[in-house]
């Protein structure tokens, strides 16, 4: 799967399906992402191959989601929320013949290293920072943390080589508030695409696109594609 942006627009990734239109990680959200013509659909996998953001939450089984999406020409961005499921997720992708359409991601460095060992052929993203409290759902960082985020954003270009070396990731998934032209350039110098998560505001989407990110993760892929002028 080619995830590097060429001359066109960034890829649009439907965050937990089109979760602005339907409950996240639901059958309805995934089908809405397909209908919106998103380039990829992101889905969360917890223990037991349950498709849900948090362990213990009710959700579809990964087999159900892969069977649902397999007939549709859409990429799969599978985010592993807990260590220990790496081999089972790969087996599930192989069961439905979807390995060539898959991007695997995680916020855990040890999971990224395990994926590198088990599936060196697959693109692997490291998410940063780890979304411990669902910050992707909120305007983050807020007033209390904005100064810290500014400092972290400034430090990201220097941190990126270390993060990639530590994890063996081939894709960098940054919270959109930590993206900058310098961070995108630092990743690109190493041949690593940058995914920005999770951006819904048209102004933010256009700004990220102008900085050269390779993909934008959005709750509303239809709106994101329209903002980017996709046909």
């Amino acid at each position: 799967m080619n995830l590097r942006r060429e001359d066109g627009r960034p890829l649009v990734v439907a965050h937990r399906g089109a979760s602005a239109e339907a409950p996240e990680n639901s059958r309805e959200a995934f089908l809405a992402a397909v209908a919106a013509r998103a380039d990829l659909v992101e889905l969360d996998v917890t223990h037991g191959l349950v498709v849900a953001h948090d362990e213990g939450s009710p959700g579809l089984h990964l087999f159900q989601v892969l069977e649902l999406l397999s007939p549709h020409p859409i990429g799969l961005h599978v985010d592993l929320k807990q260590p220990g499921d790496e081999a089972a997720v790969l087996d599930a992708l192989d069961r439905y013949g979807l390995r060539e359409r898959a991007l695997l991601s995680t916020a855990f460095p040890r999971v990224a290293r395990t994926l590198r060992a088990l599936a060196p052929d697959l693109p692997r993203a490291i998410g940063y920072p780890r979304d411990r409290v669902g910050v992707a759902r909120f305007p983050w960082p807020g007033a209390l943390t904005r100064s810290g985020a500014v400092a972290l954003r400034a430090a990201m270009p220097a941190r990126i080589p270390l993060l990639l070396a530590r994890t063996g990731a081939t894709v960098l998934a940054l919270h959109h508030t930590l993206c900058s032209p310098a961070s995108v350039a630092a990743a690109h110098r190493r041949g690593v695409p940058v995914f920005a998560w999770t951006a819904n505001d048209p102004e933010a989407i256009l700004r990220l696109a102008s900085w050269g990110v390779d993909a934008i993760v959005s709750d509303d892929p239809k709106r994101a594609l329209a903002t980017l002028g996709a046909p």
Side-chain angles (χ1 to χ4, degrees):
M1 181 188 296
N2 180 22
L3 300 174
R4 280 296 301 269
R5 179 178 174 185
E6 303 299 337
D7 295 329
R9 63 167 176 82
L11 298 171
V12 169
V13 183
H15 184 234
R16 304 172 188 168
S19 52
E21 296 187 39
E24 63 182 38
N25 287 312
S26 69
R27 179 183 299 271
E28 293 77 14
F30 295 134
L31 291 177
V34 171
R37 302 182 69 181
D39 298 294
L40 296 94
V41 59
E42 189 260 358
L43 53 118
D44 301 326
V45 177
T46 63
H47 283 319
L49 299 187
V50 176
V51 177
H53 182 266
D54 301 305
E55 186 178 5
S57 299
L60 299 169
H61 191 277
L62 180 59
F63 288 178
Q64 293 175 288
V65 177
L66 297 182
E67 184 173 2
L68 178 71
L69 294 174
S70 61
H72 303 286
I74 192 168
L76 304 174
H77 177 174
V78 182
D79 190 36
L80 282 70
K81 291 299 182 183
Q82 302 289 339
D85 295 319
E86 299 90 341
V89 167
L90 291 168
D91 288 345
L93 290 171
D94 288 337
R95 175 184 178 125
Y96 289 93
L98 294 173
R99 186 180 279 237
E100 292 184 357
R101 287 164 48 183
L103 159 68
L104 303 177
S105 69
T106 182
F108 294 90
R110 65 182 172 124
V111 173
R113 291 191 291 269
T114 299
L115 290 173
R116 176 179 59 182
L118 293 176
D121 56 316
L122 285 185
R124 305 172 304 278
I126 185 67
Y128 189 87
R130 182 177 164 196
D131 187 2
R132 294 181 177 88
V133 291
V135 296
R137 280 283 174 209
F138 304 101
W140 180 88
L144 294 178
T145 59
R146 189 170 291 117
S147 61
V150 169
L152 183 54
R153 182 166 59 246
M156 280 309 305
R159 291 189 176 204
I160 284 170
L162 300 175
L163 183 62
L164 296 176
R166 181 185 176 201
T167 62
T170 59
V171 178
L172 178 64
L174 281 181
H175 190 274
H176 71 92
T177 60
L178 301 184
C179 290
S180 69
S183 290
V184 173
H188 283 177
R189 281 194 295 271
R190 289 156 182 82
V192 171
V194 177
F195 280 43
W197 56 272
T198 299
N200 298 317
D201 177 69
E203 183 177 341
I205 289 169
L206 291 174
R207 181 169 61 250
L208 292 164
S210 73
W211 290 347
V213 302
D214 300 276
I216 296 173
V217 182
S218 179
D219 296 321
D220 193 343
K222 184 186 299 183
R223 187 182 189 191
L225 286 164
T227 298
L228 294 168

